[in-house]
Amino acid sequence: MRRMGLRYKPSTPRERSVNAARMDQIRDFVIEYDKLLREEEAGNIIIVYTDESYCDTNHAVTCSWHPEGTTGTRNKSSSRGRCIIMMHAITKFGPLTEINNETGCPVDDLKWRKNCDTPHS
């Protein structure tokens, strides 16, 4: 790594900025969202809201390899490493899931395999 001109040193988190381009993106989103809300009110579409929740573990390292003569920076991690992701979807009519008529609860048919830490591998 040193032959490539890199040095192991502490990294400084990069600050997030709200510049003009970001403000334009936010404005465009709000305008488009307003249009979609009007379409939903007219009965032409149904808006589906989604949410992701995470159960995870990780840490951010404070040192990394950076070019000589530069201030090292690192992205602020919004993740905590390996995780289970729970996805939720809901409309104004309720959650997007099959409901058990006897219990009134969502149907959970996720099957886990032996010797596997996720249902998808």
Side-chain angles (χ1 to χ4, degrees):
M1 297 295 250
R2 290 189 190 281
R3 283 186 278 170
M4 294 173 30
L6 301 175
R7 198 178 102 216
Y8 194 76
K9 59 185 174 182
S11 301
T12 306
R14 215 179 306 168
E15 292 297 321
R16 297 177 189 250
S17 64
V18 182
N19 56 25
R22 180 68 177 141
M23 294 302 292
D24 287 344
Q25 289 175 331
I26 293 168
R27 186 195 70 243
D28 292 346
F29 169 80
V30 171
I31 291 169
E32 183 65 24
Y33 184 55
D34 180 62
K35 289 177 188 175
L36 293 172
L37 286 173
R38 291 171 195 261
E39 285 288 313
E40 185 177 50
E41 285 175 18
N44 298 328
I45 65 170
I46 297 173
I47 297 175
V48 178
Y49 299 92
T50 59
D51 174 60
E52 295 174 3
S53 298
Y54 301 89
C55 295
D56 47 30
T57 60
N58 194 13
H59 68 279
V61 294
T62 57
C63 292
S64 187
W65 291 95
H66 302 284
E68 288 281 350
T70 64
T71 302
T73 61
R74 62 183 155 86
N75 290 331
K76 290 184 180 181
S77 176
S78 60
S79 170
R80 298 235 176 229
R82 199 164 182 190
C83 62
I84 295 174
I85 302 171
M86 296 158 281
M87 183 71 175
H88 311 278
I90 193 167
T91 71
K92 66 181 182 181
F93 302 110
L96 291 181
T97 185
E98 183 182 346
I99 302 294
N100 182 319
N101 291 332
E102 294 175 11
T103 65
C105 295
V107 174
D108 178 10
D109 61 358
L110 185 63
K111 304 293 186 242
W112 291 78
R113 299 186 210 136
K114 283 187 176 184
N115 302 322
C116 182
D117 59 358
T118 74
H120 308 293
S121 24

PDB file of all heavy atoms in Angstrom, residues 45-84:
ATOM      1  N   ILE A  45     -55.015   6.179  -8.254  1.00  0.00           N
ATOM      2  CA  ILE A  45     -53.860   5.378  -7.817  1.00  0.00           C
ATOM      3  C   ILE A  45     -53.970   5.097  -6.328  1.00  0.00           C
ATOM      4  O   ILE A  45     -54.766   5.721  -5.625  1.00  0.00           O
ATOM      5  CB  ILE A  45     -52.509   6.084  -8.105  1.00  0.00           C
ATOM      6  CG1 ILE A  45     -52.387   7.367  -7.276  1.00  0.00           C
ATOM      7  CG2 ILE A  45     -52.329   6.361  -9.588  1.00  0.00           C
ATOM      8  CD1 ILE A  45     -50.994   7.984  -7.318  1.00  0.00           C
ATOM      9  N   ILE A  46     -53.167   4.171  -5.852  1.00  0.00           N
ATOM     10  CA  ILE A  46     -53.014   3.923  -4.410  1.00  0.00           C
ATOM     11  C   ILE A  46     -51.529   4.058  -4.107  1.00  0.00           C
ATOM     12  O   ILE A  46     -50.705   3.367  -4.707  1.00  0.00           O
ATOM     13  CB  ILE A  46     -53.515   2.525  -4.006  1.00  0.00           C
ATOM     14  CG1 ILE A  46     -55.017   2.406  -4.283  1.00  0.00           C
ATOM     15  CG2 ILE A  46     -53.199   2.252  -2.542  1.00  0.00           C
ATOM     16  CD1 ILE A  46     -55.563   1.017  -4.063  1.00  0.00           C
ATOM     17  N   ILE A  47     -51.179   4.944  -3.206  1.00  0.00           N
ATOM     18  CA  ILE A  47     -49.779   5.139  -2.804  1.00  0.00           C
ATOM     19  C   ILE A  47     -49.415   4.066  -1.793  1.00  0.00           C
ATOM     20  O   ILE A  47     -50.152   3.827  -0.831  1.00  0.00           O
ATOM     21  CB  ILE A  47     -49.560   6.539  -2.213  1.00  0.00           C
ATOM     22  CG1 ILE A  47     -49.841   7.619  -3.268  1.00  0.00           C
ATOM     23  CG2 ILE A  47     -48.133   6.676  -1.677  1.00  0.00           C
ATOM     24  CD1 ILE A  47     -49.755   9.034  -2.742  1.00  0.00           C
ATOM     25  N   VAL A  48     -48.279   3.422  -2.018  1.00  0.00           N
ATOM     26  CA  VAL A  48     -47.762   2.419  -1.092  1.00  0.00           C
ATOM     27  C   VAL A  48     -46.527   3.006  -0.413  1.00  0.00           C
ATOM     28  O   VAL A  48     -45.573   3.409  -1.075  1.00  0.00           O
ATOM     29  CB  VAL A  48     -47.394   1.113  -1.824  1.00  0.00           C
ATOM     30  CG1 VAL A  48     -46.807   0.100  -0.854  1.00  0.00           C
ATOM     31  CG2 VAL A  48     -48.614   0.535  -2.531  1.00  0.00           C
ATOM     32  N   TYR A  49     -46.567   3.084   0.910  1.00  0.00           N
ATOM     33  CA  TYR A  49     -45.436   3.575   1.695  1.00  0.00           C
ATOM     34  C   TYR A  49     -44.643   2.364   2.178  1.00  0.00           C
ATOM     35  O   TYR A  49     -45.211   1.371   2.615  1.00  0.00           O
ATOM     36  CB  TYR A  49     -45.925   4.385   2.895  1.00  0.00           C
ATOM     37  CG  TYR A  49     -46.712   5.600   2.494  1.00  0.00           C
ATOM     38  CD1 TYR A  49     -48.106   5.540   2.377  1.00  0.00           C
ATOM     39  CD2 TYR A  49     -46.083   6.804   2.217  1.00  0.00           C
ATOM     40  CE1 TYR A  49     -48.836   6.660   2.003  1.00  0.00           C
ATOM     41  CE2 TYR A  49     -46.812   7.921   1.834  1.00  0.00           C
ATOM     42  CZ  TYR A  49     -48.183   7.835   1.729  1.00  0.00           C
ATOM     43  OH  TYR A  49     -48.903   8.935   1.353  1.00  0.00           O
ATOM     44  N   THR A  50     -43.338   2.452   2.079  1.00  0.00           N
ATOM     45  CA  THR A  50     -42.494   1.348   2.530  1.00  0.00           C
ATOM     46  C   THR A  50     -41.549   1.823   3.621  1.00  0.00           C
ATOM     47  O   THR A  50     -41.223   3.004   3.721  1.00  0.00           O
ATOM     48  CB  THR A  50     -41.670   0.756   1.364  1.00  0.00           C
ATOM     49  OG1 THR A  50     -40.853   1.780   0.812  1.00  0.00           O
ATOM     50  CG2 THR A  50     -42.571   0.165   0.297  1.00  0.00           C
ATOM     51  N   ASP A  51     -41.127   0.874   4.432  1.00  0.00           N
ATOM     52  CA  ASP A  51     -40.182   1.161   5.508  1.00  0.00           C
ATOM     53  C   ASP A  51     -39.281  -0.042   5.660  1.00  0.00           C
ATOM     54  O   ASP A  51     -39.729  -1.179   5.535  1.00  0.00           O
ATOM     55  CB  ASP A  51     -40.924   1.425   6.817  1.00  0.00           C
ATOM     56  CG  ASP A  51     -39.973   1.591   7.984  1.00  0.00           C
ATOM     57  OD1 ASP A  51     -39.134   2.510   7.925  1.00  0.00           O
ATOM     58  OD2 ASP A  51     -40.050   0.800   8.933  1.00  0.00           O
ATOM     59  N   GLU A  52     -38.025   0.200   5.910  1.00  0.00           N
ATOM     60  CA  GLU A  52     -37.076  -0.858   6.199  1.00  0.00           C
ATOM     61  C   GLU A  52     -36.558  -0.672   7.616  1.00  0.00           C
ATOM     62  O   GLU A  52     -36.178   0.422   7.997  1.00  0.00           O
ATOM     63  CB  GLU A  52     -35.895  -0.819   5.234  1.00  0.00           C
ATOM     64  CG  GLU A  52     -36.254  -1.087   3.804  1.00  0.00           C
ATOM     65  CD  GLU A  52     -35.070  -0.900   2.870  1.00  0.00           C
ATOM     66  OE1 GLU A  52     -33.957  -0.608   3.352  1.00  0.00           O
ATOM     67  OE2 GLU A  52     -35.269  -1.041   1.667  1.00  0.00           O
ATOM     68  N   SER A  53     -36.572  -1.748   8.381  1.00  0.00           N
ATOM     69  CA  SER A  53     -36.007  -1.727   9.728  1.00  0.00           C
ATOM     70  C   SER A  53     -34.859  -2.726   9.758  1.00  0.00           C
ATOM     71  O   SER A  53     -34.905  -3.755   9.083  1.00  0.00           O
ATOM     72  CB  SER A  53     -37.061  -2.102  10.766  1.00  0.00           C
ATOM     73  OG  SER A  53     -38.109  -1.174  10.745  1.00  0.00           O
ATOM     74  N   TYR A  54     -33.826  -2.427  10.519  1.00  0.00           N
ATOM     75  CA  TYR A  54     -32.628  -3.244  10.539  1.00  0.00           C
ATOM     76  C   TYR A  54     -32.296  -3.729  11.952  1.00  0.00           C
ATOM     77  O   TYR A  54     -32.431  -2.983  12.906  1.00  0.00           O
ATOM     78  CB  TYR A  54     -31.418  -2.439  10.046  1.00  0.00           C
ATOM     79  CG  TYR A  54     -31.581  -1.897   8.657  1.00  0.00           C
ATOM     80  CD1 TYR A  54     -32.156  -0.658   8.436  1.00  0.00           C
ATOM     81  CD2 TYR A  54     -31.156  -2.640   7.569  1.00  0.00           C
ATOM     82  CE1 TYR A  54     -32.301  -0.159   7.144  1.00  0.00           C
ATOM     83  CE2 TYR A  54     -31.293  -2.153   6.278  1.00  0.00           C
ATOM     84  CZ  TYR A  54     -31.870  -0.907   6.076  1.00  0.00           C
ATOM     85  OH  TYR A  54     -32.008  -0.429   4.813  1.00  0.00           O
ATOM     86  N   CYS A  55     -31.860  -4.967  12.033  1.00  0.00           N
ATOM     87  CA  CYS A  55     -31.236  -5.506  13.248  1.00  0.00           C
ATOM     88  C   CYS A  55     -29.841  -5.924  12.807  1.00  0.00           C
ATOM     89  O   CYS A  55     -29.704  -6.815  11.979  1.00  0.00           O
ATOM     90  CB  CYS A  55     -31.992  -6.713  13.768  1.00  0.00           C
ATOM     91  SG  CYS A  55     -33.646  -6.350  14.330  1.00  0.00           S
ATOM     92  N   ASP A  56     -28.802  -5.252  13.323  1.00  0.00           N
ATOM     93  CA  ASP A  56     -27.474  -5.510  12.803  1.00  0.00           C
ATOM     94  C   ASP A  56     -26.369  -5.239  13.814  1.00  0.00           C
ATOM     95  O   ASP A  56     -26.601  -4.711  14.885  1.00  0.00           O
ATOM     96  CB  ASP A  56     -27.227  -4.674  11.556  1.00  0.00           C
ATOM     97  CG  ASP A  56     -27.640  -3.231  11.756  1.00  0.00           C
ATOM     98  OD1 ASP A  56     -27.571  -2.729  12.893  1.00  0.00           O
ATOM     99  OD2 ASP A  56     -28.031  -2.594  10.783  1.00  0.00           O
ATOM    100  N   THR A  57     -25.143  -5.617  13.414  1.00  0.00           N
ATOM    101  CA  THR A  57     -23.969  -5.356  14.248  1.00  0.00           C
ATOM    102  C   THR A  57     -22.811  -4.923  13.358  1.00  0.00           C
ATOM    103  O   THR A  57     -22.619  -5.445  12.275  1.00  0.00           O
ATOM    104  CB  THR A  57     -23.533  -6.619  15.012  1.00  0.00           C
ATOM    105  OG1 THR A  57     -23.227  -7.625  14.081  1.00  0.00           O
ATOM    106  CG2 THR A  57     -24.618  -7.092  15.963  1.00  0.00           C
ATOM    107  N   ASN A  58     -22.061  -3.950  13.824  1.00  0.00           N
ATOM    108  CA  ASN A  58     -20.866  -3.490  13.109  1.00  0.00           C
ATOM    109  C   ASN A  58     -20.271  -2.305  13.863  1.00  0.00           C
ATOM    110  O   ASN A  58     -20.857  -1.786  14.793  1.00  0.00           O
ATOM    111  CB  ASN A  58     -21.188  -3.075  11.673  1.00  0.00           C
ATOM    112  CG  ASN A  58     -19.951  -2.914  10.822  1.00  0.00           C
ATOM    113  OD1 ASN A  58     -18.866  -3.331  11.193  1.00  0.00           O
ATOM    114  ND2 ASN A  58     -20.107  -2.302   9.681  1.00  0.00           N
ATOM    115  N   HIS A  59     -19.180  -1.869  13.388  1.00  0.00           N
ATOM    116  CA  HIS A  59     -18.570  -0.639  13.905  1.00  0.00           C
ATOM    117  C   HIS A  59     -17.820   0.029  12.757  1.00  0.00           C
ATOM    118  O   HIS A  59     -17.507  -0.609  11.762  1.00  0.00           O
ATOM    119  CB  HIS A  59     -17.619  -0.936  15.061  1.00  0.00           C
ATOM    120  CG  HIS A  59     -16.409  -1.684  14.641  1.00  0.00           C
ATOM    121  ND1 HIS A  59     -16.413  -3.059  14.451  1.00  0.00           N
ATOM    122  CD2 HIS A  59     -15.164  -1.265  14.339  1.00  0.00           C
ATOM    123  CE1 HIS A  59     -15.210  -3.438  14.064  1.00  0.00           C
ATOM    124  NE2 HIS A  59     -14.427  -2.377  13.992  1.00  0.00           N
ATOM    125  N   ALA A  60     -17.581   1.296  12.886  1.00  0.00           N
ATOM    126  CA  ALA A  60     -16.817   2.019  11.863  1.00  0.00           C
ATOM    127  C   ALA A  60     -15.369   2.103  12.310  1.00  0.00           C
ATOM    128  O   ALA A  60     -15.087   2.506  13.432  1.00  0.00           O
ATOM    129  CB  ALA A  60     -17.390   3.421  11.676  1.00  0.00           C
ATOM    130  N   VAL A  61     -14.474   1.715  11.430  1.00  0.00           N
ATOM    131  CA  VAL A  61     -13.057   1.832  11.758  1.00  0.00           C
ATOM    132  C   VAL A  61     -12.662   3.302  11.714  1.00  0.00           C
ATOM    133  O   VAL A  61     -13.225   4.092  10.970  1.00  0.00           O
ATOM    134  CB  VAL A  61     -12.184   1.015  10.778  1.00  0.00           C
ATOM    135  CG1 VAL A  61     -12.461  -0.459  10.931  1.00  0.00           C
ATOM    136  CG2 VAL A  61     -12.392   1.462   9.355  1.00  0.00           C
ATOM    137  N   THR A  62     -11.709   3.664  12.543  1.00  0.00           N
ATOM    138  CA  THR A  62     -11.286   5.064  12.581  1.00  0.00           C
ATOM    139  C   THR A  62     -10.058   5.315  11.727  1.00  0.00           C
ATOM    140  O   THR A  62      -9.692   6.454  11.504  1.00  0.00           O
ATOM    141  CB  THR A  62     -10.998   5.498  14.030  1.00  0.00           C
ATOM    142  OG1 THR A  62     -10.008   4.638  14.572  1.00  0.00           O
ATOM    143  CG2 THR A  62     -12.260   5.453  14.865  1.00  0.00           C
ATOM    144  N   CYS A  63      -9.416   4.243  11.240  1.00  0.00           N
ATOM    145  CA  CYS A  63      -8.246   4.393  10.390  1.00  0.00           C
ATOM    146  C   CYS A  63      -8.462   3.657   9.075  1.00  0.00           C
ATOM    147  O   CYS A  63      -9.199   2.683   9.012  1.00  0.00           O
ATOM    148  CB  CYS A  63      -6.994   3.826  11.069  1.00  0.00           C
ATOM    149  SG  CYS A  63      -6.469   4.771  12.506  1.00  0.00           S
ATOM    150  N   SER A  64      -7.806   4.134   8.018  1.00  0.00           N
ATOM    151  CA  SER A  64      -7.870   3.502   6.710  1.00  0.00           C
ATOM    152  C   SER A  64      -6.666   3.953   5.903  1.00  0.00           C
ATOM    153  O   SER A  64      -5.872   4.767   6.363  1.00  0.00           O
ATOM    154  CB  SER A  64      -9.169   3.881   5.998  1.00  0.00           C
ATOM    155  OG  SER A  64      -9.289   3.133   4.803  1.00  0.00           O
ATOM    156  N   TRP A  65      -6.517   3.451   4.671  1.00  0.00           N
ATOM    157  CA  TRP A  65      -5.412   3.826   3.806  1.00  0.00           C
ATOM    158  C   TRP A  65      -5.815   5.025   2.964  1.00  0.00           C
ATOM    159  O   TRP A  65      -6.834   5.003   2.289  1.00  0.00           O
ATOM    160  CB  TRP A  65      -5.015   2.654   2.915  1.00  0.00           C
ATOM    161  CG  TRP A  65      -4.387   1.545   3.692  1.00  0.00           C
ATOM    162  CD1 TRP A  65      -5.008   0.445   4.193  1.00  0.00           C
ATOM    163  CD2 TRP A  65      -3.025   1.449   4.074  1.00  0.00           C
ATOM    164  NE1 TRP A  65      -4.117  -0.343   4.859  1.00  0.00           N
ATOM    165  CE2 TRP A  65      -2.882   0.251   4.802  1.00  0.00           C
ATOM    166  CE3 TRP A  65      -1.896   2.249   3.877  1.00  0.00           C
ATOM    167  CZ2 TRP A  65      -1.667  -0.163   5.330  1.00  0.00           C
ATOM    168  CZ3 TRP A  65      -0.684   1.824   4.399  1.00  0.00           C
ATOM    169  CH2 TRP A  65      -0.571   0.641   5.115  1.00  0.00           C
ATOM    170  N   HIS A  66      -4.999   6.079   3.004  1.00  0.00           N
ATOM    171  CA  HIS A  66      -5.266   7.318   2.279  1.00  0.00           C
ATOM    172  C   HIS A  66      -4.006   7.774   1.556  1.00  0.00           C
ATOM    173  O   HIS A  66      -2.893   7.499   2.010  1.00  0.00           O
ATOM    174  CB  HIS A  66      -5.714   8.425   3.245  1.00  0.00           C
ATOM    175  CG  HIS A  66      -6.930   8.074   4.026  1.00  0.00           C
ATOM    176  ND1 HIS A  66      -8.192   8.089   3.495  1.00  0.00           N
ATOM    177  CD2 HIS A  66      -7.087   7.672   5.317  1.00  0.00           C
ATOM    178  CE1 HIS A  66      -9.078   7.732   4.412  1.00  0.00           C
ATOM    179  NE2 HIS A  66      -8.430   7.467   5.523  1.00  0.00           N
ATOM    180  N   PRO A  67      -4.136   8.503   0.448  1.00  0.00           N
ATOM    181  CA  PRO A  67      -2.950   9.012  -0.261  1.00  0.00           C
ATOM    182  C   PRO A  67      -2.111   9.920   0.643  1.00  0.00           C
ATOM    183  O   PRO A  67      -2.661  10.661   1.465  1.00  0.00           O
ATOM    184  CB  PRO A  67      -3.545   9.813  -1.431  1.00  0.00           C
ATOM    185  CG  PRO A  67      -4.907   9.249  -1.629  1.00  0.00           C
ATOM    186  CD  PRO A  67      -5.376   8.829  -0.257  1.00  0.00           C
ATOM    187  N   GLU A  68      -0.807   9.827   0.471  1.00  0.00           N
ATOM    188  CA  GLU A  68       0.112  10.680   1.224  1.00  0.00           C
ATOM    189  C   GLU A  68      -0.233  12.150   1.016  1.00  0.00           C
ATOM    190  O   GLU A  68      -0.625  12.547  -0.084  1.00  0.00           O
ATOM    191  CB  GLU A  68       1.554  10.448   0.775  1.00  0.00           C
ATOM    192  CG  GLU A  68       2.139   9.135   1.211  1.00  0.00           C
ATOM    193  CD  GLU A  68       2.594   9.138   2.659  1.00  0.00           C
ATOM    194  OE1 GLU A  68       2.638  10.218   3.291  1.00  0.00           O
ATOM    195  OE2 GLU A  68       2.916   8.047   3.154  1.00  0.00           O
ATOM    196  N   GLY A  69      -0.141  12.955   2.053  1.00  0.00           N
ATOM    197  CA  GLY A  69      -0.344  14.386   1.946  1.00  0.00           C
ATOM    198  C   GLY A  69      -1.797  14.819   1.893  1.00  0.00           C
ATOM    199  O   GLY A  69      -2.084  15.973   1.631  1.00  0.00           O
ATOM    200  N   THR A  70      -2.721  13.890   2.123  1.00  0.00           N
ATOM    201  CA  THR A  70      -4.142  14.266   2.127  1.00  0.00           C
ATOM    202  C   THR A  70      -4.729  14.027   3.499  1.00  0.00           C
ATOM    203  O   THR A  70      -4.199  13.256   4.295  1.00  0.00           O
ATOM    204  CB  THR A  70      -4.969  13.446   1.108  1.00  0.00           C
ATOM    205  OG1 THR A  70      -4.951  12.070   1.507  1.00  0.00           O
ATOM    206  CG2 THR A  70      -4.419  13.586  -0.291  1.00  0.00           C
ATOM    207  N   THR A  71      -5.823  14.716   3.784  1.00  0.00           N
ATOM    208  CA  THR A  71      -6.567  14.460   5.015  1.00  0.00           C
ATOM    209  C   THR A  71      -7.508  13.314   4.724  1.00  0.00           C
ATOM    210  O   THR A  71      -8.342  13.396   3.829  1.00  0.00           O
ATOM    211  CB  THR A  71      -7.380  15.705   5.421  1.00  0.00           C
ATOM    212  OG1 THR A  71      -6.472  16.789   5.576  1.00  0.00           O
ATOM    213  CG2 THR A  71      -8.126  15.471   6.713  1.00  0.00           C
ATOM    214  N   GLY A  72      -7.374  12.244   5.431  1.00  0.00           N
ATOM    215  CA  GLY A  72      -8.219  11.083   5.182  1.00  0.00           C
ATOM    216  C   GLY A  72      -9.652  11.335   5.620  1.00  0.00           C
ATOM    217  O   GLY A  72      -9.902  11.918   6.665  1.00  0.00           O
ATOM    218  N   THR A  73     -10.602  10.935   4.789  1.00  0.00           N
ATOM    219  CA  THR A  73     -12.014  11.034   5.153  1.00  0.00           C
ATOM    220  C   THR A  73     -12.662   9.675   4.982  1.00  0.00           C
ATOM    221  O   THR A  73     -12.158   8.813   4.263  1.00  0.00           O
ATOM    222  CB  THR A  73     -12.773  12.054   4.265  1.00  0.00           C
ATOM    223  OG1 THR A  73     -12.709  11.614   2.922  1.00  0.00           O
ATOM    224  CG2 THR A  73     -12.199  13.444   4.399  1.00  0.00           C
ATOM    225  N   ARG A  74     -13.772   9.469   5.650  1.00  0.00           N
ATOM    226  CA  ARG A  74     -14.543   8.240   5.495  1.00  0.00           C
ATOM    227  C   ARG A  74     -16.012   8.602   5.484  1.00  0.00           C
ATOM    228  O   ARG A  74     -16.414   9.623   6.031  1.00  0.00           O
ATOM    229  CB  ARG A  74     -14.243   7.262   6.622  1.00  0.00           C
ATOM    230  CG  ARG A  74     -14.597   7.776   8.002  1.00  0.00           C
ATOM    231  CD  ARG A  74     -14.200   6.772   9.089  1.00  0.00           C
ATOM    232  NE  ARG A  74     -13.976   7.432  10.344  1.00  0.00           N
ATOM    233  CZ  ARG A  74     -14.923   7.702  11.231  1.00  0.00           C
ATOM    234  NH1 ARG A  74     -16.159   7.372  11.007  1.00  0.00           N
ATOM    235  NH2 ARG A  74     -14.636   8.316  12.372  1.00  0.00           N
ATOM    236  N   ASN A  75     -16.795   7.794   4.807  1.00  0.00           N
ATOM    237  CA  ASN A  75     -18.231   8.006   4.804  1.00  0.00           C
ATOM    238  C   ASN A  75     -18.795   7.635   6.162  1.00  0.00           C
ATOM    239  O   ASN A  75     -18.357   6.662   6.776  1.00  0.00           O
ATOM    240  CB  ASN A  75     -18.917   7.163   3.731  1.00  0.00           C
ATOM    241  CG  ASN A  75     -18.595   7.639   2.336  1.00  0.00           C
ATOM    242  OD1 ASN A  75     -18.338   8.816   2.138  1.00  0.00           O
ATOM    243  ND2 ASN A  75     -18.587   6.728   1.385  1.00  0.00           N
ATOM    244  N   LYS A  76     -19.749   8.427   6.630  1.00  0.00           N
ATOM    245  CA  LYS A  76     -20.420   8.072   7.875  1.00  0.00           C
ATOM    246  C   LYS A  76     -21.256   6.838   7.600  1.00  0.00           C
ATOM    247  O   LYS A  76     -22.059   6.818   6.681  1.00  0.00           O
ATOM    248  CB  LYS A  76     -21.317   9.213   8.349  1.00  0.00           C
ATOM    249  CG  LYS A  76     -20.567  10.418   8.824  1.00  0.00           C
ATOM    250  CD  LYS A  76     -21.535  11.443   9.347  1.00  0.00           C
ATOM    251  CE  LYS A  76     -20.791  12.660   9.840  1.00  0.00           C
ATOM    252  NZ  LYS A  76     -21.687  13.667  10.374  1.00  0.00           N
ATOM    253  N   SER A  77     -21.053   5.817   8.378  1.00  0.00           N
ATOM    254  CA  SER A  77     -21.770   4.575   8.147  1.00  0.00           C
ATOM    255  C   SER A  77     -23.182   4.671   8.713  1.00  0.00           C
ATOM    256  O   SER A  77     -23.385   5.077   9.845  1.00  0.00           O
ATOM    257  CB  SER A  77     -21.041   3.413   8.823  1.00  0.00           C
ATOM    258  OG  SER A  77     -21.779   2.233   8.671  1.00  0.00           O
ATOM    259  N   SER A  78     -24.164   4.328   7.879  1.00  0.00           N
ATOM    260  CA  SER A  78     -25.531   4.255   8.378  1.00  0.00           C
ATOM    261  C   SER A  78     -25.880   2.798   8.631  1.00  0.00           C
ATOM    262  O   SER A  78     -26.990   2.476   9.020  1.00  0.00           O
ATOM    263  CB  SER A  78     -26.497   4.863   7.362  1.00  0.00           C
ATOM    264  OG  SER A  78     -26.405   4.159   6.148  1.00  0.00           O
ATOM    265  N   SER A  79     -24.921   1.928   8.401  1.00  0.00           N
ATOM    266  CA  SER A  79     -25.129   0.502   8.582  1.00  0.00           C
ATOM    267  C   SER A  79     -24.327   0.017   9.779  1.00  0.00           C
ATOM    268  O   SER A  79     -23.370   0.647  10.187  1.00  0.00           O
ATOM    269  CB  SER A  79     -24.669  -0.236   7.330  1.00  0.00           C
ATOM    270  OG  SER A  79     -24.644  -1.612   7.559  1.00  0.00           O
ATOM    271  N   ARG A  80     -24.712  -1.085  10.295  1.00  0.00           N
ATOM    272  CA  ARG A  80     -23.956  -1.694  11.385  1.00  0.00           C
ATOM    273  C   ARG A  80     -23.509  -3.088  10.993  1.00  0.00           C
ATOM    274  O   ARG A  80     -23.446  -3.981  11.809  1.00  0.00           O
ATOM    275  CB  ARG A  80     -24.796  -1.731  12.644  1.00  0.00           C
ATOM    276  CG  ARG A  80     -25.175  -0.363  13.112  1.00  0.00           C
ATOM    277  CD  ARG A  80     -24.732  -0.183  14.527  1.00  0.00           C
ATOM    278  NE  ARG A  80     -25.021   1.165  14.941  1.00  0.00           N
ATOM    279  CZ  ARG A  80     -24.141   1.922  15.535  1.00  0.00           C
ATOM    280  NH1 ARG A  80     -22.951   1.496  15.792  1.00  0.00           N
ATOM    281  NH2 ARG A  80     -24.479   3.135  15.911  1.00  0.00           N
ATOM    282  N   GLY A  81     -23.226  -3.283   9.689  1.00  0.00           N
ATOM    283  CA  GLY A  81     -22.705  -4.553   9.221  1.00  0.00           C
ATOM    284  C   GLY A  81     -23.778  -5.539   8.838  1.00  0.00           C
ATOM    285  O   GLY A  81     -24.831  -5.173   8.338  1.00  0.00           O
ATOM    286  N   ARG A  82     -23.491  -6.810   9.102  1.00  0.00           N
ATOM    287  CA  ARG A  82     -24.414  -7.875   8.752  1.00  0.00           C
ATOM    288  C   ARG A  82     -25.740  -7.657   9.465  1.00  0.00           C
ATOM    289  O   ARG A  82     -25.777  -7.384  10.660  1.00  0.00           O
ATOM    290  CB  ARG A  82     -23.808  -9.194   9.175  1.00  0.00           C
ATOM    291  CG  ARG A  82     -24.413 -10.321   8.491  1.00  0.00           C
ATOM    292  CD  ARG A  82     -23.559 -11.525   8.618  1.00  0.00           C
ATOM    293  NE  ARG A  82     -24.258 -12.542   7.859  1.00  0.00           N
ATOM    294  CZ  ARG A  82     -23.935 -13.783   7.881  1.00  0.00           C
ATOM    295  NH1 ARG A  82     -22.916 -14.172   8.583  1.00  0.00           N
ATOM    296  NH2 ARG A  82     -24.617 -14.643   7.188  1.00  0.00           N
ATOM    297  N   CYS A  83     -26.840  -7.791   8.729  1.00  0.00           N
ATOM    298  CA  CYS A  83     -28.117  -7.453   9.351  1.00  0.00           C
ATOM    299  C   CYS A  83     -29.286  -8.239   8.782  1.00  0.00           C
ATOM    300  O   CYS A  83     -29.199  -8.830   7.720  1.00  0.00           O
ATOM    301  CB  CYS A  83     -28.391  -5.965   9.208  1.00  0.00           C
ATOM    302  SG  CYS A  83     -28.542  -5.435   7.503  1.00  0.00           S
ATOM    303  N   ILE A  84     -30.362  -8.238   9.534  1.00  0.00           N
ATOM    304  CA  ILE A  84     -31.650  -8.737   9.078  1.00  0.00           C
ATOM    305  C   ILE A  84     -32.460  -7.501   8.713  1.00  0.00           C
ATOM    306  O   ILE A  84     -32.546  -6.552   9.484  1.00  0.00           O
ATOM    307  CB  ILE A  84     -32.368  -9.531  10.184  1.00  0.00           C
ATOM    308  CG1 ILE A  84     -31.576 -10.787  10.519  1.00  0.00           C
ATOM    309  CG2 ILE A  84     -33.779  -9.878   9.746  1.00  0.00           C
ATOM    310  CD1 ILE A  84     -32.136 -11.553  11.696  1.00  0.00           C
TER     311      ILE A  84
END
